[in-house]
């Protein structure tokens, strides 16, 4: 059985982490010598250096067709290539969308594929609502996490000395891409916890594309605090700006209590899994979304009619109030 896997496993972001889990899974299933892998690169992302060994990249290309071609990429990038392989699988990378708009017509290519892999029931529902015949082809990928190794990493803890008695909410994201939801979370926490004697703290673990403007962020929070009539010493948020490693983010899950999986651009189902393994409460935008808003990215503007899942400030504040 010869398998060609094309995926973003050299990227350091969430897509790359998931791809590495998936590559390990197919190596376990088909055998290391049967897999040929080649990296793809989605958008501008940090990548693992080329001198890092991925043994499946060194395997020799067969002279005949592959038995299986697996394309792990976005909808607009996949291609049906019957001259390359006998069977065709796709691991579909989807943003946080509730309606595919005009790009739903691109889904027709999926009819040619033998298996479609997604990360959640919501993603499966999104596809089958458009083409019901896809249902029998769709599988949900669940990463095979080494629990012993995971627990060893979680034995390390971040300490928040001034907030030992406080419940710790936390958000993992990117300060440039998640600016809107970060402000919404801060406002909602202040609204939900204004009368609590021991208020919670929210820890933001934030990667960044551009060097964060600390003074701007601080001034925005001071304004929110002032609007609630609170003193500047009554902080309810901590910011950590860093290009985090996978292990550092696992430690974050083990150090906090309530994971805010509310990223409006891309949902991290991997981090929801990590939070679940730590026994944390998870607030999922998949579950809490109460409206949709127009979506755009580097390739699609608003005229494409794509909509993304969204949570209103009122819904978020009431949800947080209910768990504190």
């Amino acid at each position: 059985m010869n398998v060609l896997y094309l995926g973003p496993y050299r990227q350091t972001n969430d897509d790359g982490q998931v791809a590495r889990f998936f590559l390990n899974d197919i190596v376990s299933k088909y055998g290391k010598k049967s897999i040929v892998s080649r990296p793809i690169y989605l958008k501008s992302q940090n990548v693992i250096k080329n001198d890092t060994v991925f043994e499946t990249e060194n395997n020799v290309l067969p002279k005949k067709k592959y038995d299986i071609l697996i394309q792990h990429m976005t909808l607009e990038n996949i291609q049906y290539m019957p001259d390359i392989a006998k069977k065709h699988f796709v691991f579909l990378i989807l943003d946080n969308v509730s309606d595919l708009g005009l790009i739903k017509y691109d889904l027709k290519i999926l009819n040619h594929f033998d298996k479609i892999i997604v990360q959640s029931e919501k993603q499966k529902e999104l596809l089958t609502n458009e083409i019901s015949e896809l249902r029998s082809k769709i599988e949900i990928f669940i990463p095979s996490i080494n629990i012993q190794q995971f627990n060893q990493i979680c034995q390390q803890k971040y300490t928040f000395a001034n907030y030992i008695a406080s419940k710790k909410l936390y958000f993992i994201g990117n300060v440039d891409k998640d600016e809107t939801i970060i402000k919404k979370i801060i406002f909602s926490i202040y609204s939900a916890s204004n009368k609590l004697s021991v208020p919670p703290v929210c820890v933001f673990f934030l990667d960044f594309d551009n060097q964060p403007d600390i003074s701007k962020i601080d001034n925005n929070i001071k304004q929110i605090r002032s609007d609630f009539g609170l003193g500047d010493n009554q902080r309810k948020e901590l910011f950590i700006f860093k290009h985090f490693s996978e292990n550092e983010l696992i430690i974050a899950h083990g150090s906090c209590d309530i994971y805010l999986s509310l990223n409006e651009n891309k949902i991290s189902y991997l981090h929801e899994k990590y939070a679940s393994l730590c026994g944390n409460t998870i607030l999922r935008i998949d579950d809490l979304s109460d409206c949709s808003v127009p979506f755009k990215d580097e390739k699609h503007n608003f005229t494409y009619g794509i909509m993304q899942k969204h949570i209103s400030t009122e819904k978020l504040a009431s949800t947080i109030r209910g768990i504190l």
Side-chain angles (χ1 to χ4, degrees), residues 85-102:
K86 299 172 186 175
K87 289 189 175 182
H88 299 265
F89 299 174
V90 58
F91 191 143
L92 204 54
I93 294 176
L94 290 167
D95 289 314
N96 166 33
V97 295
S98 57
D99 189 323
L100 291 163
L102 294 179

Side-chain angles (χ1 to χ4, degrees), residues 138-314:
I138 298 177
E139 291 186 2
I140 295 174
F141 174 66
I142 300 174
S144 299
I145 296 169
N146 185 318
I147 300 301
Q148 182 177 1
Q149 186 180 43
F150 181 87
N151 289 337
Q152 286 176 345
I153 297 170
C154 280
Q155 288 177 6
Q156 305 173 63
K157 302 290 181 184
Y158 296 126
T159 56
F160 308 103
N162 295 328
Y163 302 96
I164 294 175
S166 300
K167 280 190 177 181
K168 296 167 186 66
L169 296 85
Y170 64 112
F171 175 85
I172 296 170
N174 180 290
V175 68
D176 301 291
K177 296 180 176 67
D178 293 308
E179 180 181 1
T180 301
I181 188 62
I182 290 168
K183 290 179 181 178
K184 189 182 297 183
I185 288 169
I186 293 170
F187 184 93
S188 298
I189 290 173
Y190 274 71
S191 177
S193 62
N194 208 17
K195 297 180 181 179
L196 295 179
S197 56
V198 183
V201 61
C202 187
V203 187
F204 293 90
F205 298 91
L206 299 175
D207 201 345
F208 50 88
D209 300 327
N210 305 300
Q211 193 64 31
D213 187 341
I214 305 297
S215 61
K216 178 183 175 183
I217 295 170
D218 194 45
N219 288 335
N220 287 337
I221 296 172
K222 283 181 179 179
Q223 184 60 56
I224 295 174
R225 199 177 296 129
S226 173
D227 291 342
F228 277 96
L230 299 173
D232 195 42
N233 62 337
Q234 295 175 276
R235 294 189 67 93
K236 296 176 182 174
E237 64 288 317
L238 297 172
F239 287 88
I240 304 173
F241 300 103
K242 194 177 187 298
H243 298 307
F244 294 95
S245 69
E246 293 176 46
N247 284 3
E248 287 171 332
L249 291 177
I250 290 173
I251 295 169
H253 287 287
S255 304
C256 300
D257 308 302
I258 303 169
Y259 176 43
L260 305 178
S261 182
L262 302 171
N263 309 66
E264 292 179 332
N265 292 311
K266 184 181 288 290
I267 299 169
S268 177
Y269 295 105
L270 176 59
H271 283 293
E272 289 185 3
K273 179 68 174 177
Y274 287 156
S276 176
L277 289 173
C278 290
N280 294 347
T281 299
I282 306 172
L283 301 188
R284 297 178 174 88
I285 197 167
D286 264 351
D287 300 329
L288 298 174
S289 172
D290 58 345
C291 55
S292 295
V293 299
F295 170 86
K296 72 178 182 70
D297 60 12
E298 293 174 359
K299 294 185 177 180
H300 309 105
N301 58 35
F302 291 134
T303 62
Y304 281 83
I306 306 169
M307 304 294 287
Q308 68 180 173
K309 293 187 285 290
H310 191 78
I311 181 171
S312 65
T313 305
E314 181 182 6

Side-chain angles (χ1 to χ4, degrees), residues 13 25 29 229:
N13 65 348
D25 273 17
K29 182 175 182 180

